[in-house]
């Protein structure tokens, strides 16, 4: 990152200069953001863009409003899951025809886990990360218990994965960027290690899609899934995406079949016969309004590359870490790795009163979030977060820590969403 004085702390003026030279700066105007507010929670829910408003309005007024049931044919509604999958494919290093957009992430994981377990019937273990997101842990246990043979889920420490990767492991399921710490895993090296052990690899890309360059093809990953509402800005509860490598298509079975994944849905046949390609992973009617929102949200990717986004993401997180360390020495443990190759697009600060810190920041117009038990989490979405936002955000964090209001008793009870 360019600093005006070598060795000195980045100033607010430096940040203004960095924003003025930022190739992504014009994109901020595409998003609806509250004046004066610093939004560092795009890793949880991205903001709405102009293209989303336009696209959803068009669906409501014209496609649904006037076209009604005709729009299933005339507006290409049936093709939306595969068309949006193809739009998303370059962002995750997939080929056209390898990605589908439907359901939400946990459902997609269920389909992939269930399908994958049927491909390794002589093996009885699923390996995952004990720090994985709880929904991933719940669904993998549920699918394992319904595998039709005894299958044990082993949730282990990340460092123990290699040791645990024995000949009885059918599937390894990992989240590429840790939702708490922001640690980024080496997709290529891990996938190779898993394949060398004869197991299949499923990646959860919830915190990496739209934030870090992903090369599923290059890593030879078998399966992947991720959600549409974090860095992809598809809206609350946006549809998820699912990736099945070409060579698995026609082999991997959808354990949750439905009429729209049938080869001939409108023949209303008694027996299920899967459609060709990714369509087989569709279960039910596409959620058209939600898909339209995600469609609009993807427009921005016609104007930027993920490499531009990654470069700015690292600069923003570097700056945040630098300022927090300089302005608040010893106050927080910085949990997120310093090494660029191991960092996603968020920074996690550990503090015993992290919930109160996040709530006090909210009162000062900085939106981050809290992850139990002691993590204050800040996401840096380069499409709309500026360098000055990082600077001002840290200044407000300094105010919070100086004022000590974060230990107030009104923060003793947590709100339902933290
Ligand atoms: C956000 C997130 C989810 C959310 O799953 P939904 O089914 O879409 O609610 C699941 N897993 C991980 C790792 C996440 O980060």
């Amino acid at each position: 990152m360019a600093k005006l004085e070598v060795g000195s702390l980045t100033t607010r003026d430096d940040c203004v200069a960095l924003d003025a030279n930022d190739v992504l700066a014009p994109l901020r105007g595409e998003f609806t953001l509250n004046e004066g507010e610093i939004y560092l929670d795009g890793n949880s829910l991205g903001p709405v863009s102009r293209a989303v408003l336009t696209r959803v309005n068009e669906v409501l007024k014209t496609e649904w409003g006037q076209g009604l049931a005709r729009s299933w044919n005339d507006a290409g509604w049936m093709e939306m899951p595969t068309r949006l999958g193809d739009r998303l494919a370059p962002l995750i290093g997939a080929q056209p025809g390898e990605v589908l957009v439907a359901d939400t992430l946990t459902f997609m994981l269920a389909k992939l886990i269930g399908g994958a377990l049927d491909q390794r019937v002589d093996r009885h273990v699923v390996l995952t990360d004990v720090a994985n997101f709880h929904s991933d842990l719940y669904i993998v246990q549920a699918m394992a218990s319904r595998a039709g043979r005894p299958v044990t889920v082993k949730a282990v420490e990340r460092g123990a994965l290699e040791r645990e990767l024995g000949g009885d492991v059918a599937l390894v399921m990992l989240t590429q960027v840790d939702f708490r710490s922001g640690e980024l895993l080496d997709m290529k090296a891990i996938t190779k290690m898993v394949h060398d052990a004869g197991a299949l690899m499923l990646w959860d890309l919830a915190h990496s899609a739209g934030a870090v360059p992903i090369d599923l093809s290059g890593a030879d990953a078998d399966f992947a899934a991720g959600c549409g509402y974090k860095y992809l800005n598809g809206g609350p509860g946006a549809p998820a995406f699912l990736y099945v490598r070409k060579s698995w298509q026609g082999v991997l079975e959808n354990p949750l079949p439905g009429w729209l994944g049938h080869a001939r849905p409108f023949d209303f046949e008694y027996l299920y016969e899967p459609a060709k390609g990714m369509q087989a992973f569709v279960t039910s009617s596409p959620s058209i309004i939600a898909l339209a929102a995600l469609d609009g949200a993807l427009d921005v990717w016609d104007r930027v590359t993920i490499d531009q986004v990654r470069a700015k993401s690292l600069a923003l997180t570097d700056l945040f870490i630098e300022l927090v360390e300089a302005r608040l020495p010893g106050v927080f443990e910085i949990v997120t790795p310093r090494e660029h190759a191991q960092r996603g697009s968020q920074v996690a600060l550990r503090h015993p009163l992290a919930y109160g810190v996040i709530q006090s920041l909210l009162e000062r117009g900085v939106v981050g979030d809290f992850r139990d038990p002691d993590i204050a989490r800040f996401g840096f979405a380069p499409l709309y977060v500026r360098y000055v936002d990082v600077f001002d955000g840290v200044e407000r964090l300094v105010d919070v820590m100086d004022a000590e209001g974060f230990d107030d008793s009104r923060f003793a009870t947590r709100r339902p969403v933290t």
Side-chain angles (χ1 to χ4, degrees), residues 257-269 271-277 279-282:
W259 69 306
L260 290 181
H262 194 283
R264 295 166 300 278
F266 283 89
D267 283 4
F268 301 96
E269 292 171 22
L271 290 176
Y272 182 73
E273 181 190 320
K276 290 213 178 344
Q279 189 67 31
F281 293 93
V282 175

Side-chain angles (χ1 to χ4, degrees), residues 271-295:
L271 290 176
Y272 182 73
E273 181 190 320
K276 290 213 178 344
M278 293 306 288
Q279 189 67 31
F281 293 93
V282 175
T283 300
S284 41
S285 302
S287 189
I288 298 301
I289 300 167
L291 285 163
L294 183 59
D295 197 16

Side-chain angles (χ1 to χ4, degrees), residues 188-400:
K188 192 165 186 174
I190 294 173
T191 303
K192 180 173 187 315
M193 183 174 88
V194 168
H195 284 167
D196 286 349
L200 303 177
M201 185 70 223
L202 162 56
W203 285 103
D204 183 329
L205 306 177
H207 287 277
S208 32
V212 300
I214 301 166
D215 187 6
L216 287 169
S217 295
D220 199 29
D222 300 285
F223 318 114
C227 49
Y229 48 83
K230 291 171 179 162
Y231 294 99
L232 295 177
N233 308 313
F241 63 87
L242 165 146
Y243 161 87
V244 175
R245 197 179 66 205
K246 261 272 153 53
S247 59
W248 279 114
Q249 294 179 26
V251 179
L252 193 80
E253 288 179 24
N254 179 357
L256 300 171
W259 69 306
L260 290 181
H262 194 283
R264 295 166 300 278
F266 283 89
D267 283 4
F268 301 96
E269 292 171 22
Y270 177 66
L271 290 176
Y272 182 73
E273 181 190 320
K276 290 213 178 344
M278 293 306 288
Q279 189 67 31
F281 293 93
V282 175
T283 300
S284 41
S285 302
S287 189
I288 298 301
I289 300 167
L291 285 163
L294 183 59
D295 197 16
L298 291 177
D299 280 2
V300 72
W301 295 99
D302 297 339
R303 295 167 56 184
V304 293
T305 67
I306 189 69
D307 290 331
Q308 290 171 323
V309 165
R310 175 63 170 166
K312 185 177 171 189
S313 158
L314 289 171
L316 292 171
T317 49
D318 274 345
L319 176 64
F320 184 76
I321 292 170
E322 172 201 331
L323 294 173
V324 167
E325 283 194 315
R327 303 283 283 115
L328 295 160
V331 176
F332 296 100
E333 179 196 339
I334 296 172
V335 177
T336 303
R338 309 301 169 103
E339 299 77 14
H340 284 178
Q342 293 173 33
R343 191 193 305 160
S345 202
Q346 66 177 67
V347 177
L349 305 181
R350 179 170 281 138
H351 191 282
L353 295 173
Y355 184 72
V357 170
I358 285 294
Q359 292 302 311
S360 298
L361 269 174
L362 264 178
E363 294 176 348
R364 287 168 169 81
V366 181
V367 185
D369 61 20
F370 165 79
R371 287 296 174 262
D372 192 68
D374 55 6
I375 298 290
R377 193 175 71 154
F378 302 93
F380 297 87
L383 297 177
Y384 51 87
V385 173
R386 298 168 299 190
Y387 292 91
V388 283
D389 294 326
V390 176
F391 190 91
D392 294 344
V394 173
E395 287 307 301
R396 293 187 206 179
L397 181 59
V398 171
D399 290 347
V400 163

Side-chain angles (χ1 to χ4, degrees), residues 104-107 109 132-133 135-136 175 179 204 206-207 227 229-230 238:
T104 36
L105 178 51
T106 308
F107 287 93
L109 293 174
N132 210 337
F133 193 75
S135 202
D136 299 43
T175 299
F179 80 101
D204 183 329
H207 287 277
C227 49
Y229 48 83
K230 291 171 179 162

Side-chain angles (χ1 to χ4, degrees), residues 133-200:
F133 193 75
H134 42 328
S135 202
D136 299 43
L137 296 174
Y138 303 156
I139 199 70
V140 73
Q141 291 173 78
M143 296 309 289
S145 72
R146 289 161 177 77
R149 66 183 185 281
V151 173
T152 308
V153 176
K154 283 194 191 168
V156 302
E157 300 282 343
R158 215 160 284 159
L161 277 171
E162 187 163 11
R163 189 169 3 106
E164 295 285 344
L165 200 51
D168 205 23
V169 176
L171 174 71
V172 178
M173 178 182 80
L174 296 173
T175 299
Q176 192 191 11
V177 174
D178 183 302
F179 80 101
R180 276 195 205 87
S181 72
E183 182 184 352
L184 169 67
L185 305 187
D186 185 338
M187 174 180 281
K188 192 165 186 174
I190 294 173
T191 303
K192 180 173 187 315
M193 183 174 88
V194 168
H195 284 167
D196 286 349
L200 303 177

Side-chain angles (χ1 to χ4, degrees), residues 99-121:
V99 186
L100 179 79
V101 177
D103 310 317
T104 36
L105 178 51
T106 308
F107 287 93
M108 289 301 208
L109 293 174
K111 290 179 181 182
L112 293 172
I113 296 162
L117 285 176
D118 288 344
Q119 298 299 327
R120 287 290 182 274
V121 288

